[in-house]
C-alpha cells in the first residue's frame, strides 16, 4: 500500500525488470483510456495473494 500512489504512473515499476517483464507504461495507458471515457480505475490487493484491478465506465444507454 505504500506504493499505491505510484501504481498508475508512467515508468513507475514496483519490481525490477528481472522479476517481471514490461516497460512500466501499461497501467498508465489503461488509466488514461478509462479516464478519457469518463470512467474510473483502481486496484485492490492483499499481501501474498496478488492484486485485482477494477474499472468502471459510464452507461451509454440512450446515446445514439
Amino acid at each position: 500500500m505504500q506504493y499505491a500512489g505510484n501504481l498508475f504512473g508512467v515508468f513507475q515499476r514496483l519490481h525490477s525488470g528481472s522479476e517481471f517483464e514490461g516497460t512500466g507504461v501499461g497501467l498508465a495507458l489503461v488509466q488514461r483510456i478509462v479516464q478519457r471515457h469518463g470512467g474510473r480505475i483502481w486496484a485492490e490487493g492483499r499481501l501474498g495473494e496478488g492484486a485485482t484491478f477494477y474499472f468502471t465506465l459510464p452507461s451509454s444507454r440512450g446515446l445514439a
Side-chain angles (χ1 to χ4, degrees):
M1 287 306 295
Q2 72 187 47
Y3 299 108
N6 297 341
L7 195 57
F8 295 100
V10 177
F11 303 117
Q12 294 294 316
R13 295 184 55 112
L14 301 180
H15 297 85
S16 71
S18 63
E19 292 179 276
F20 295 97
E21 294 181 20
T23 61
V25 297
L27 289 175
L29 289 173
V30 170
Q31 182 186 46
R32 288 182 75 179
I33 292 167
V34 169
Q35 287 178 340
R36 285 192 180 192
H37 288 279
R40 177 177 164 253
I41 185 169
W42 69 98
E44 295 177 2
R46 293 181 189 222
L47 190 59
E49 294 183 25
T52 303
F53 292 82
Y54 301 92
F55 71 94
T56 62
L57 296 172
S59 174
S60 62
R61 283 186 267 166
L63 298 178

